[in-house]
Every structure is written in C-alpha cells, then in structure tokens.
C-alpha cells in the first residue's frame, strides 16, 4: 500500500496512518502523522487490546513508536501486551472524545516493545479464553446466578482474566469469584457490560452490508425508542428493527433530528380539509418530500389525493376564513387493496424448499389422485363468481329475454 500525496505536495498521509488494527474494531486514522510537530515531549499513546478494549499510556522512555507496534505496558499487577493504534497530538483529542479526565485517569507507562517471548506467552494465554468462557458459564449456572458470561480476556502475561458478563439486575458474585479463582488459578476481574457493548466486542455485519457501528466507531450508546420508527414511517416489524444485540438498531436515531424538523411542518392529523366537492381526512405523509395524502373517507383509503404541505396550509387558512376551494387540486393516488389470505411461515426457512420447484422441471408426473389443484381451481371460480357484479348478470338476463322476443320462431309460437 503506497502513501497518498496531493499533486502539489501540500499534504501527504502515510499508509501506516490509515491502516486498520489487527482487532479490526474501532479503527483510527492519524491525519497528522506526516507533520513533524505531531511528536510531543509528553507522548501519550493509545493502545488497543482484545476487541474494543483500549487504554492510554505514557511513553516515558521515548520509544520510537508508530501505529501497529506491539508493546508491553504496565497492567498493575504484571504486564499486558497491546497494539499501538494512535500516537501524537490526536491522542488527547481521542481522550476528550471518550471523556477521560487526565486529573482522575491513572496513566500507566509503556515498558518496551514486545519481544518474541512476550508475544508467544500472550498467544498461549489468549488460546485458553474460549474454554474458560464455556466453563465460566457452567459454573455461574450451577450457582443459580442470573447472568451470562459474554467474553473472557486474559492478560498478556496470563496472570489475570477479565470476565465480561451481562445481567438484568445486580448480581452477588462473591462466591462466584472464589470458585473462578480456585478453578482457573488466575486473578479475577468482573466487568458488567450491556447488550450493545457485547455486540460491539463480538462484531459482525449488519443488514446494511457494513460492519456494526458499535464495533467500528460508536462508543457512546443512547437509548432508542419505537417512536423513532413511527416518525420515519418504518414498518414496526421487531425482526427488522432489532439488531444483533436484540435491541432496537442504533441507526434509527441517526436521522431523527431531520425527520423531527420535517415533521414539524406537516399539518395536524386531526385537521379536516373542506372543499366544495368533499371533506378530506389525513391519510399519510412523506416528511422529506413534504407531501401529504388525504382521503375522502375517514376510515378507508378512498379517492386519495396527494398535495404539498404548502397547499394544505393554504386550504387550512381558507377554511379558517370561512372559504372552501373547488377541489383539493392534488395528484390522484390509486390505492389497490389486494385480497390477502393467511400465509403460513412454516417451511420458508427450509433449505429444501427449492427442491420442490426443481422437481417439476424434471418432468415428474403428478399423482392423478391428487385433487388439491382441482379444488384450488374450483375455489378460484367460485370467488370470481361471487365478485361478479349483480347488474351484469341482470343485464345478461334482459338481453336473453329481448333476444327471445325478437326470434321469429318464438314469435310464431307466441302467435300460435
């Protein structure tokens, strides 16, 4: 990967500054990496460990650190192994973003660049995390605790293990810590996280096709309500509105301010527009397009007319003044209400559902005893017969009677 430089040479960004870390979570681009003043005397360094856990350390030894270096840091007790993700002036900006107060935050130091022995020892410790998590869940269940161990992270020297757990309420895990210490023979640290934080640590791809926001850039989580979906006219389908954390998607809040500003311009749903031809009731709206659709019936979509918000406000002013326009003057919108029957969802997720379609193409004959297609055809005919207008049937009867009177044979029989 080559460095990026403008044609006039005014600015340049190195490939190392925009590379992603090995965890592929919460990446940071050092836009000031090519500036000589980026290196400060009190070097603060951002170091990332497993998944989304980060820490800030001081480079008292003035090591020539750059993004991607593996370092050994003070962990108190012992030491930990992490990856340098940011250096220079932007580190304080990141700390300010994460609301870390230097007066209260204990800044540890960086010992050295990680040696081959440090990396080997850290890899051996991380290899035990999966088995430790499975055993930890079983031990918590045996003690009857309502909690779930979502992840386990060993320190680089293997002296301490952090257990990330999820619980709805407070959990008394004093006995659990004793059991963990006797079983795993390490120093135990318990950290409670939320469902969104767990999804960020695990990572994944969202329905939009991109990596989860909680694992790439989002660190502060705000509550998301169902009102955000209603305001944006999103179908209230729990399966589509929920993310991998089983909570409402955080992206529902991204456009809330714009929708609230646009929705404030829409007339109230209770206002009825009066014209000389009909009374129009609110049916739906499109805040971003600034369009409102009205129906001539308050209960069903009938004679739908779509007008702009400006037109609606103009008619409301005329009604308040005791005047009525000739018509709404909007664009007609057809609302085709289809007859929807009950559709069972059983078998839709079956992987063999495509085999039934392919079997018909291979020329497989249908069983003549199978009467289901005949029954469906008969039901379709009966439904068409019920929907046929009565006046059409009466008209046909009148035509037949007229034809019988005009027939000379019938007239002769009548004369006889």
């Amino acid at each position: 990967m080559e460095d990026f430089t403008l044609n006039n040479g005014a600015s340049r960004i190195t490939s190392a500054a925009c590379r992603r870390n090995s965890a592929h979570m919460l990446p940071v681009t050092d836009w000031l990496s090519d500036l000589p003043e980026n290196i400060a005397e009190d070097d603060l360094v951002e170091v990332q460990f497993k998944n989304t856990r980060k820490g800030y350390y001081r480079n008292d030894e003035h090591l020539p650190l750059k993004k991607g270096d593996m370092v050994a840091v003070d962990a108190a007790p012992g030491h930990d192994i992490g990856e340098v993700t940011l250096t220079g002036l932007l580190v304080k900006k990141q700390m300010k973003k994460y609301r870390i107060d230097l007066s209260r935050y204990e800044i540890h130091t960086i010992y050295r660049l990680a040696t081959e022995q440090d990396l080997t020892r850290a890899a051996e410790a991380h290899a035990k995390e999966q088995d430790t998590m499975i055993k930890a869940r079983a031990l918590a269940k045996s003690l009857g605790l309502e909690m779930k161990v979502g992840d386990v992270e060993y320190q680089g020297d293997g002296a301490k293990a952090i257990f990330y757990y999820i619980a709805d309420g407070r959990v008394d895990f004093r006995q659990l810590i004793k059991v963990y210490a006797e079983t795993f023979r390490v120093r135990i640290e318990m950290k409670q996280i939320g469902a969104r934080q767990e999804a960020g640590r695990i990572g994944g791809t969202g329905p939009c096709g991109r990596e989860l926001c909680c694992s790439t850039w989002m660190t502060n989580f705000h509550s998301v309500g169902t009102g955000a979906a209603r305001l944006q006219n999103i179908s209230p389908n729990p399966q589509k509105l929920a993310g991998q954390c089983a909570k409402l998607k955080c992206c529902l809040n991204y456009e809330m301010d714009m929708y609230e500003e646009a929705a404030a311009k829409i007339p109230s749903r209770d206002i009825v527009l009066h014209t000389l031809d009909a009374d129009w009731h609110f049916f739906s709206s499109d805040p971003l397009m600034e369009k409102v659709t009205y129906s001539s019936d308050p209960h069903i979509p009938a004679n739908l007319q779509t007008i702009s918000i400006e037109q609606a406000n103009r008619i409301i002013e005329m009604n308040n003044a005791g005047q009525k326009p000739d018509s709404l003057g909007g664009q007609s919108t057809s609302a085709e209400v289809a007859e929807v029957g009950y559709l069972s969802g059983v078998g839709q997720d079956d992987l063999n559902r495509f085999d039934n379609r392919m079997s018909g193409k291979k020329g497989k004959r249908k069983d003549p005893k199978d009467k289901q297609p005949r029954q469906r055809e008969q039901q379709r005919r009966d439904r068409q017969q019920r929907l046929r207008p009565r006046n059409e049937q009466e008209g046909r009867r009148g035509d037949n009677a007229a034809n019988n009177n005009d027939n000379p044979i019938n007239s002769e029989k009548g004369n006889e």
Side-chain angles (χ1 to χ4, degrees):
M1 187 175 180
E2 299 179 356
D3 297 346
F4 301 96
T5 308
L6 294 180
N7 295 332
N8 57 1
S11 178
R12 179 177 62 88
I13 181 171
T14 61
S15 58
C18 58
R19 58 167 297 209
R20 301 197 64 177
N21 49 46
S22 58
H24 296 288
M25 294 184 180
L26 299 183
V28 182
T29 301
D30 190 359
W31 303 102
L32 306 179
S33 61
D34 61 320
L35 299 180
E37 59 269 19
N38 188 41
I39 302 176
E41 294 181 359
D42 294 334
D43 291 333
L44 291 175
V45 180
E46 182 185 71
V47 180
Q48 184 165 2
F49 303 95
K50 181 182 178 182
N51 295 337
T52 57
R53 185 170 74 93
K54 287 186 176 183
Y56 295 92
Y57 299 86
R58 196 178 300 279
N59 185 12
D60 292 338
E61 301 295 332
H62 300 287
L63 300 173
L65 301 178
K66 61 181 183 299
K67 189 174 182 180
D69 290 340
M70 303 298 295
V71 293
V73 299
D74 180 19
H79 68 273
D80 204 351
I81 305 298
E83 180 183 1
V84 176
T85 55
L86 193 62
T87 61
L89 298 176
L90 290 182
V91 178
K92 291 186 177 180
K93 300 292 184 181
Q94 285 288 96
M95 298 180 69
K96 184 178 180 181
K97 172 186 175 183
Y98 297 147
R99 299 178 181 178
I100 297 178
D101 188 2
L102 290 175
S103 60
R104 300 180 180 180
Y105 186 81
E106 184 180 1
I107 303 294
H108 295 281
T109 60
I110 297 178
Y111 288 150
R112 62 183 180 275
L113 288 171
T115 62
E116 190 67 26
Q117 184 179 0
D118 294 333
L119 298 177
T120 303
R121 190 174 180 180
E124 293 175 355
H126 296 328
K128 300 184 296 183
E129 293 174 349
Q130 183 67 20
D131 295 337
T132 302
M133 182 180 65
I134 296 175
K135 293 180 182 179
R137 289 180 177 178
L139 292 174
K141 185 177 180 181
S142 63
L143 295 177
L145 299 178
E146 296 182 357
M147 58 177 290
K148 172 193 172 185
V149 179
D151 191 14
V152 177
E153 180 181 358
Y154 271 90
Q155 196 170 273
D157 56 357
K160 186 178 71 172
I162 304 175
F163 292 81
Y164 298 92
Y165 70 96
I166 302 174
D168 295 334
R170 295 180 61 89
V171 179
D172 185 7
F173 46 76
R174 288 176 293 182
Q175 182 64 26
L176 181 64
I177 292 179
K178 296 179 181 178
V179 175
Y180 281 176
E182 295 175 358
T183 304
F184 305 117
R185 300 294 180 180
V186 293
R187 184 182 180 91
I188 306 299
E189 181 180 352
M190 306 293 294
K191 282 190 176 182
Q192 185 175 2
I193 59 176
R196 290 187 170 92
Q197 292 174 324
E198 182 192 23
R201 290 189 60 84
I202 297 174
T205 304
C208 58
R210 304 186 64 178
E211 297 180 63
L212 298 179
C213 298
C214 52
S215 64
T216 52
W217 62 271
M218 181 180 292
T219 55
N220 297 326
F221 302 98
H222 303 280
S223 60
V224 185
T226 56
R230 299 192 190 97
L231 182 61
Q232 301 176 51
N233 294 330
I234 301 176
S235 175
N237 189 344
Q239 296 180 352
K240 293 184 178 180
L241 294 181
Q244 293 191 6
C245 57
K247 303 290 184 180
L248 291 176
K249 295 178 182 178
C250 296
C251 55
L252 292 176
N253 283 344
Y254 294 171
E255 300 178 356
M256 273 289 295
D257 296 338
M258 182 173 58
Y259 271 91
E260 289 179 352
E261 183 179 353
K265 303 177 183 179
I266 298 177
S268 175
R269 296 171 177 262
D270 300 331
I271 298 178
V272 180
L273 304 186
H274 303 282
T275 60
L276 296 179
D277 54 357
D279 292 339
W280 301 92
H281 305 268
F282 184 91
F283 180 73
S284 65
S285 63
D286 190 343
L288 300 184
M289 295 294 295
E290 297 185 353
K291 299 288 185 181
V292 189
T293 302
Y294 287 89
S295 172
S296 59
D297 192 282
H299 304 292
I300 61 174
N303 303 323
L304 296 181
Q305 294 282 333
T306 301
I307 61 176
S308 63
I309 296 178
E310 184 179 357
Q311 290 177 299
N313 292 330
R314 190 183 304 114
I315 295 176
I316 293 174
E317 293 178 358
M318 294 179 63
N319 294 155
N320 294 335
Q323 303 176 0
K324 294 183 180 180
D326 297 337
S327 62
L328 205 61
Q331 182 180 1
S332 300
T333 303
S334 60
E336 298 179 357
V337 182
E339 181 180 358
V340 181
Y342 172 75
L343 299 177
S344 176
V346 179
Q348 292 184 359
D349 297 332
D350 187 7
L351 294 178
N352 300 325
R353 65 186 184 275
F354 300 106
D355 298 341
N356 299 331
R357 298 181 180 180
M358 297 301 296
S359 61
K361 296 181 180 180
K362 293 181 180 179
K364 184 178 179 180
R365 296 183 179 180
K366 298 181 180 180
D367 189 1
K369 297 180 180 180
D370 187 12
K371 298 181 180 180
Q372 189 174 5
R374 299 179 182 178
Q375 295 177 356
R376 292 179 180 175
E377 182 65 21
Q378 185 63 30
Q379 292 176 359
R380 187 181 67 81
R381 293 178 180 177
D382 295 343
R383 185 164 59 252
Q384 291 180 352
Q385 186 67 22
R386 289 196 303 269
L387 296 177
R388 185 176 299 172
R390 295 182 179 180
N391 54 1
E392 182 180 348
Q393 297 179 1
E394 295 176 357
R396 291 182 179 178
R397 292 173 185 173
D399 295 342
N400 294 334
N403 294 334
N404 293 334
N405 294 332
D406 296 338
N407 195 338
I409 299 178
N410 294 336
S411 60
E412 291 177 359
K413 290 182 178 181
N415 295 329
E416 292 177 358

Coordinates of all heavy atoms in Angstrom, one line a residue, residues 241-277:
L241 N -36.4 -4.3 13.0 CA -35.9 -3.2 13.8 C -34.9 -3.5 14.8 O -34.1 -2.7 15.2 CB -37.1 -2.5 14.5 CG -38.2 -1.9 13.6 CD1 -39.3 -1.3 14.5 CD2 -37.6 -0.9 12.7
A242 N -34.7 -4.8 15.1 CA -33.7 -5.2 16.1 C -32.4 -5.6 15.4 O -32.4 -6.1 14.3 CB -34.3 -6.4 16.9
G243 N -31.3 -5.2 16.1 CA -30.0 -5.5 15.7 C -29.5 -6.9 16.2 O -30.3 -7.7 16.8
Q244 N -28.2 -7.1 16.1 CA -27.7 -8.4 16.6 C -27.7 -8.4 18.1 O -27.5 -9.5 18.7 CB -26.3 -8.6 16.0 CG -26.2 -8.8 14.5 CD -24.9 -9.2 14.1 OE1 -24.0 -9.4 14.9 NE2 -24.7 -9.3 12.8
C245 N -27.8 -7.3 18.8 CA -27.9 -7.3 20.2 C -29.3 -7.5 20.7 O -29.5 -7.5 21.9 CB -27.4 -6.0 20.7 SG -28.2 -4.5 20.1
A246 N -30.3 -7.8 19.8 CA -31.7 -8.0 20.2 C -32.3 -6.7 20.7 O -33.4 -6.7 21.3 CB -31.9 -9.1 21.2
K247 N -31.7 -5.6 20.5 CA -32.2 -4.3 20.9 C -32.5 -3.5 19.6 O -32.1 -3.9 18.5 CB -31.2 -3.4 21.7 CG -30.8 -4.1 23.0 CD -31.9 -4.2 24.0 CE -31.4 -4.8 25.3 NZ -32.5 -4.9 26.4
L248 N -33.2 -2.4 19.7 CA -33.5 -1.6 18.6 C -32.2 -1.0 18.0 O -31.3 -0.7 18.7 CB -34.4 -0.4 18.9 CG -35.9 -0.8 19.3 CD1 -36.6 0.4 19.7 CD2 -36.6 -1.5 18.2
K249 N -32.2 -1.0 16.7 CA -30.9 -0.6 16.0 C -30.6 0.9 16.3 O -31.4 1.8 16.4 CB -31.1 -0.7 14.5 CG -31.3 -2.1 14.0 CD -31.5 -2.1 12.5 CE -31.8 -3.5 12.0 NZ -32.0 -3.6 10.5
C250 N -29.3 1.1 16.6 CA -28.8 2.4 16.9 C -29.0 3.4 15.7 O -29.1 4.6 15.9 CB -27.3 2.4 17.3 SG -27.0 1.4 18.8
C251 N -29.0 2.9 14.5 CA -29.1 3.8 13.3 C -30.5 4.4 13.2 O -30.7 5.3 12.4 CB -28.8 3.0 12.1 SG -29.8 1.5 11.8
L252 N -31.5 4.0 14.0 CA -32.8 4.6 14.0 C -32.7 6.1 14.5 O -33.6 6.9 14.2 CB -33.8 3.8 14.8 CG -34.2 2.4 14.3 CD1 -35.1 1.7 15.3 CD2 -34.9 2.5 12.9
N253 N -31.7 6.3 15.3 CA -31.5 7.7 15.8 C -30.7 8.6 14.9 O -30.6 9.8 15.2 CB -30.8 7.6 17.2 CG -31.7 7.2 18.3 OD1 -32.9 7.2 18.1 ND2 -31.2 6.8 19.4
Y254 N -30.1 8.1 13.9 CA -29.2 8.9 13.0 C -29.9 10.0 12.3 O -29.4 11.1 12.3 CB -28.5 8.0 12.0 CG -27.5 7.0 12.6 CD1 -27.0 6.0 11.8 CD2 -27.2 7.0 13.9 CE1 -26.1 5.1 12.3 CE2 -26.3 6.1 14.5 CZ -25.8 5.1 13.7 OH -24.9 4.2 14.2
E255 N -31.1 9.8 11.8 CA -31.9 10.8 11.0 C -33.1 11.3 11.8 O -33.9 11.9 11.2 CB -32.3 10.2 9.7 CG -31.2 9.7 8.8 CD -31.7 9.0 7.6 OE1 -32.9 8.9 7.4 OE2 -30.9 8.6 6.7
M256 N -33.1 11.1 13.1 CA -34.2 11.6 13.9 C -34.4 13.1 13.9 O -35.5 13.6 13.7 CB -34.1 11.1 15.3 CG -34.6 9.7 15.6 SD -36.4 9.7 15.5 CE -36.8 10.7 17.0
D257 N -33.3 13.8 14.0 CA -33.4 15.3 14.0 C -33.9 15.8 12.7 O -34.8 16.8 12.7 CB -32.0 15.9 14.3 CG -31.4 15.5 15.6 OD1 -32.2 15.2 16.5 OD2 -30.2 15.5 15.8
M258 N -33.5 15.2 11.6 CA -34.0 15.7 10.3 C -35.5 15.4 10.1 O -36.3 16.2 9.6 CB -33.2 15.1 9.2 CG -33.6 15.5 7.8 SD -32.5 14.9 6.5 CE -32.6 13.1 6.8
Y259 N -35.9 14.2 10.6 CA -37.3 13.9 10.5 C -38.2 14.7 11.4 O -39.3 15.1 11.1 CB -37.5 12.4 10.8 CG -37.4 11.5 9.6 CD1 -36.2 10.9 9.2 CD2 -38.5 11.2 8.8 CE1 -36.0 10.1 8.1 CE2 -38.4 10.4 7.7 CZ -37.2 9.8 7.3 OH -37.0 9.0 6.2
E260 N -37.7 15.0 12.6 CA -38.4 15.8 13.5 C -38.6 17.2 13.0 O -39.7 17.8 13.1 CB -37.7 15.9 14.9 CG -37.8 14.6 15.7 CD -37.0 14.7 17.0 OE1 -36.4 15.7 17.2 OE2 -37.1 13.7 17.8
E261 N -37.6 17.8 12.4 CA -37.7 19.1 11.8 C -38.6 19.1 10.6 O -39.4 20.1 10.4 CB -36.3 19.5 11.3 CG -36.2 20.9 10.7 CD -34.9 21.3 10.3 OE1 -33.9 20.6 10.6 OE2 -34.7 22.4 9.7
A262 N -38.6 18.0 9.8 CA -39.5 18.0 8.7 C -41.0 17.7 9.1 O -41.9 18.2 8.5 CB -39.1 16.9 7.7
A263 N -41.1 16.9 10.2 CA -42.5 16.5 10.6 C -43.2 17.7 11.3 O -44.4 17.8 11.4 CB -42.4 15.3 11.6
A264 N -42.4 18.7 11.8 CA -43.0 19.8 12.4 C -43.7 20.7 11.4 O -44.6 21.5 11.8 CB -41.9 20.6 13.1
K265 N -43.4 20.6 10.2 CA -44.1 21.4 9.1 C -45.4 20.7 8.7 O -46.2 21.4 8.0 CB -43.2 21.6 7.9 CG -41.8 22.2 8.2 CD -40.9 22.3 7.0 CE -39.6 22.8 7.3 NZ -38.7 22.9 6.1
I266 N -45.6 19.5 9.0 CA -46.8 18.8 8.5 C -48.0 19.2 9.3 O -48.0 19.3 10.5 CB -46.6 17.2 8.6 CG1 -45.4 16.8 7.7 CG2 -47.8 16.5 8.2 CD1 -45.1 15.4 7.8
P267 N -49.2 19.4 8.7 CA -50.4 19.8 9.4 C -50.8 18.7 10.3 O -50.5 17.5 10.1 CB -51.4 20.1 8.3 CG -50.6 20.3 7.1 CD -49.4 19.5 7.2
S268 N -51.6 19.0 11.3 CA -52.1 18.0 12.3 C -53.0 17.0 11.6 O -53.7 17.3 10.7 CB -52.8 18.7 13.4 OG -53.4 17.8 14.3
R269 N -52.9 15.8 12.1 CA -53.7 14.7 11.6 C -55.2 14.9 11.8 O -56.1 14.4 11.1 CB -53.3 13.4 12.2 CG -51.9 12.9 11.9 CD -51.5 11.7 12.7 NE -50.1 11.3 12.4 CZ -49.9 10.3 11.5 NH1 -50.9 9.6 11.0 NH2 -48.6 9.9 11.2
D270 N -55.6 15.7 12.9 CA -57.0 15.9 13.2 C -57.6 17.0 12.3 O -58.9 17.1 12.4 CB -57.1 16.3 14.7 CG -56.5 15.3 15.6 OD1 -56.5 14.1 15.2 OD2 -56.0 15.7 16.7
I271 N -56.9 17.7 11.6 CA -57.5 18.8 10.8 C -58.1 18.2 9.5 O -57.5 17.4 8.8 CB -56.4 19.8 10.4 CG1 -55.9 20.5 11.6 CG2 -57.0 20.9 9.4 CD1 -54.8 21.5 11.4
V272 N -59.3 18.5 9.2 CA -60.1 18.1 8.0 C -60.1 19.2 7.0 O -60.5 20.3 7.4 CB -61.5 17.6 8.4 CG1 -62.2 17.1 7.1 CG2 -61.4 16.5 9.4
L273 N -59.7 18.9 5.8 CA -59.8 19.9 4.8 C -61.1 19.9 4.1 O -61.6 18.9 3.6 CB -58.7 19.7 3.7 CG -57.2 19.6 4.3 CD1 -56.2 19.5 3.1 CD2 -56.9 20.8 5.1
H274 N -61.8 21.1 4.0 CA -63.1 21.2 3.5 C -63.0 21.8 2.1 O -62.5 22.9 1.9 CB -64.0 22.0 4.4 CG -64.1 21.5 5.8 ND1 -64.9 20.4 6.1 CD2 -63.5 21.9 6.9 CE1 -64.8 20.1 7.4 NE2 -64.0 21.0 7.9
T275 N -63.6 21.2 1.1 CA -63.7 21.7 -0.3 C -65.1 21.6 -0.7 O -66.0 21.0 0.0 CB -62.8 20.9 -1.2 OG1 -63.1 19.5 -1.3 CG2 -61.3 21.1 -0.8
L276 N -65.4 22.2 -1.9 CA -66.8 22.1 -2.4 C -67.2 20.7 -2.8 O -68.4 20.4 -2.7 CB -67.0 23.1 -3.5 CG -66.8 24.6 -3.2 CD1 -66.9 25.4 -4.4 CD2 -67.8 25.0 -2.1
D277 N -66.3 19.9 -3.2 CA -66.6 18.5 -3.7 C -66.7 17.5 -2.5 O -67.4 16.5 -2.6 CB -65.7 18.1 -4.8 CG -64.2 18.2 -4.3 OD1 -64.0 18.6 -3.2 OD2 -63.4 17.8 -5.1

